Amino acid sequence: MKDSNFLKEHNAKSIWHPMAHPADSQANPPTIVTRAQGVRITDLDGHETVDAVGGLWNVNLGFSCQPVKDAIAGQLDTLPYYSTFRGTSNDQVIQLAEELRRFFAPDGLTRAFFTSGGSDSVETALRLARQYHKIRGEAGRTKFLSLKKGYHGTHMGGASVNGNANFRTQYEPLLPGCHHIPAPYTYRNPFNESDPARLAQLCLQALEDEIAFQGSGTIAAFIMEPILGAGGVIPPHESFMPGVRDICTKHGILLIADEVITAFGRTGSWSGSRHWGVQPDLMATAKAITNGYFPFGAVMITGSVAEVFENDRTGAAAIGHGYTYSGHPVGAAAALACLAETEKLNVPENAATRGTQLHRGLLDLRDKHSLIGDVRGGHGLMCALELVSDRESKTPIDKATIATVQEVAYQSGAMVRVSGPNIILSPPLILTEEDADVILGALDDGLTAAARCP
């Protein structure tokens, strides 16, 4: 191990960081995290903080989940890798598929296609959706609909259905045939509607209008997050996802639930789809499936879609898609252990309780700090503050001021995430009441310091 001087001197010199300008990373070297335990991380200088980011929405069980670590170590000694391409499989992935079938039974999902992560899962779901319609003789169904502000990873397909220009503009032209409708985002929307129920209906009307404009027979799938995550934690009204489900069913359009973030308890329910009482046709998962300890994902597929593939006798259902690490035995072993521990701890219950605590605390901070324009949350451990320089005009906060909030909060004991004008909170689902208080206190300090800046 190189000493701390070496690490600081070479920080960001030979590595380009995701989601960052290379020059900015060199001018403002990233925090070097060297240790983690429970819900806390420690940097190179020994400064310890509560990780209010949860790794990246994925370390649901914290950094000390020994059963998952033991499963990984044990599998490395037994079978560190083998392909699951046609002709070979492994014992761990077979067991995992059956466990996921059981776990997702209330969501109507019965088959699993394994991937290396969230972007892979989204890409897989988009491809399978197109293939499904081709098998059924509707080859014209190639388009995709999604929400503005939605995030669906960074592959070319995922970037194409993404609803945030930051992940699109520099990589265009993207996949043709991808169209977006307004998100049910009460703080900012083209309808100037702040009532969640009325806004949900307006967005559903926009969906119907877009389907009519494109032609329902040209659309393969609608993809959405049950609660928008990276776009700023935007929970829709409870009527919205069921309404999307009804519209998709009426027009023969597949519904893809992007649950890379929301599956496995984060919303306070076992899945985001279940949170709203909806059964999707396909579900993209990853992140918490292995607690972030191994890159792994799964696309879950409903029985009716699976039957179309499995009953095909023309050869059109042969899946010409997959990844070297699809069904990786170490990842499968990690996922089996993680799923068992997730259920044992009943993490949705704590996520709901601590999420309510955080949300209420953030609302109290809004009463105290004029920099807070909007508070979003109330559905498990997914919360956000949208910061503004002026509440009346809703002018987004400048980068320097929100950076001050983040830095002072970090020094006060909590790592928080900045995304545009938003402070996003997605801590581990084993968060305690005391941990949540630390996060709220650190944010209070950060907002106080930022308000004093010239």
Side-chain angles (χ1 to χ4, degrees):
M1 177 68 180
K2 300 291 186 179
D3 64 23
S4 60
N5 289 332
F6 175 92
L7 296 174
K8 289 180 179 179
E9 180 184 351
H10 292 84
N11 191 3
K13 282 191 174 181
S14 301
I15 176 176
W16 280 8
H17 287 266
M19 306 297 181
H21 192 303
D24 182 63
S25 294
Q26 292 176 356
N28 303 283
T31 300
I32 304 172
V33 179
T34 56
R35 296 191 306 278
Q37 185 173 18
V39 302
R40 286 171 165 76
I41 57 174
T42 304
D43 66 23
L44 188 63
D45 294 321
H47 180 61
E48 183 181 272
T49 63
V50 173
D51 181 22
V53 188
L56 197 60
W57 303 92
N58 55 350
V59 187
N60 283 12
L61 305 180
F63 296 94
S64 304
C65 189
Q66 199 60 41
V68 180
K69 295 179 182 181
D70 289 344
I72 291 171
Q75 189 60 38
L76 284 170
D77 282 339
T78 306
L79 179 67
Y81 173 74
Y82 211 78
S83 163
T84 59
F85 276 34
R86 182 177 55 188
T88 54
S89 190
N90 65 72
D91 55 343
Q92 298 299 311
V93 80
I94 294 168
Q95 293 177 74
L96 176 60
E98 292 303 318
E99 283 300 297
L100 290 175
R101 180 189 183 109
R102 174 191 60 79
F103 180 83
F104 286 112
D107 299 291
L109 303 166
T110 64
R111 307 288 195 279
F113 186 102
F114 293 106
T115 72
S116 306
S119 291
D120 286 351
S121 291
V122 168
E123 189 78 8
T124 298
L126 295 175
R127 288 190 178 211
L128 292 179
R130 279 187 171 178
Q131 187 174 9
Y132 165 83
H133 291 295
K134 285 183 169 65
I135 298 167
R136 297 179 67 250
E138 294 189 85
R141 287 186 178 266
T142 60
K143 297 175 184 176
F144 298 109
L145 302 180
S146 57
L147 295 172
K148 294 176 181 178
K149 304 296 289 184
Y151 179 77
H152 302 291
T154 54
H155 288 356
M156 195 59 84
S160 300
V161 295
N162 266 343
N164 188 319
N166 290 339
F167 310 114
R168 299 172 53 87
T169 305
Q170 299 302 324
Y171 310 103
E172 292 174 332
L174 297 171
L175 189 69
C178 297
H179 306 278
H180 300 76
I181 66 164
Y185 174 27
T186 53
Y187 193 61
R188 301 180 192 274
N189 62 78
F191 311 107
N192 195 29
E193 179 57 71
S194 59
D195 179 80
R198 287 200 296 269
L199 179 58
Q201 292 307 306
L202 289 170
C203 292
L204 291 172
Q205 289 173 23
L207 174 57
E208 284 275 24
D209 181 69
E210 189 65 25
I211 291 170
F213 178 73
Q214 296 296 332
S216 60
T218 71
I219 302 168
F222 182 92
I223 182 169
M224 66 171 288
E225 303 161 274
I227 295 174
L228 281 69
V233 183
I234 301 171
H237 185 263
E238 62 184 9
S239 65
F240 183 70
M241 194 171 183
V244 170
R245 172 71 277 179
D246 290 344
I247 291 170
C248 287
T249 300
K250 180 172 71 173
H251 293 289
I253 297 167
L254 294 180
L255 174 58
I256 301 171
D258 183 344
E259 299 226 26
V260 172
I261 285 173
T262 54
F264 306 108
R266 181 155 293 281
T267 65
S269 302
W270 286 113
S271 74
S273 297
R274 219 175 301 179
H275 190 73
W276 302 123
V278 169
Q279 290 190 337
D281 298 298
L282 299 121
M283 180 189 290
T285 75
K287 290 192 183 290
I289 197 170
T290 61
N291 201 44
Y293 293 3
F294 195 93
F296 199 81
V299 176
M300 300 304 301
I301 304 156
T302 193
S304 59
V305 171
E307 288 169 7
V308 168
F309 280 80
E310 293 169 3
N311 294 335
D312 171 68
R313 298 296 177 264
T314 70
I319 297 172
H321 171 76
Y323 304 99
T324 298
Y325 301 109
S326 291
H328 196 297
V330 179
L336 279 166
C338 184
L339 185 59
E341 194 70 7
T342 295
E343 292 185 296
K344 174 184 172 184
L345 296 176
N346 190 21
V347 293
E349 183 176 9
N350 190 63
T353 302
R354 296 282 73 80
T356 297
Q357 178 191 352
L358 268 184
H359 187 232
R360 288 174 177 168
L362 295 177
L363 291 171
D364 289 341
L365 288 179
R366 184 178 62 181
D367 293 338
K368 181 178 179 181
H369 298 283
S370 62
L371 289 177
I372 300 176
D374 194 30
V375 173
R376 295 187 290 274
H379 301 273
L381 279 169
M382 301 177 69
C383 295
L385 297 175
E386 183 164 344
L387 304 188
V388 294
S389 58
D390 181 80
R391 273 188 180 174
E392 187 172 347
S393 65
K394 299 184 181 180
T395 304
I397 200 76
D398 62 277
K399 290 183 179 180
T401 303
I402 199 168
T404 297
V405 177
Q406 183 183 36
E407 176 58 26
V408 174
Y410 181 73
Q411 295 304 326
S412 295
M415 172 67 86
V416 300
R417 182 185 178 198
V418 169
S419 179
N422 302 302
I423 298 282
I424 292 179
L425 305 178
S426 54
L429 306 190
I430 60 169
L431 197 76
T432 67
E433 182 178 0
E434 293 73 23
D435 298 328
D437 284 339
V438 169
I439 295 170
L440 293 167
L443 280 171
D444 191 10
D445 290 345
L447 290 160
T448 299
R452 293 173 182 158
C453 292

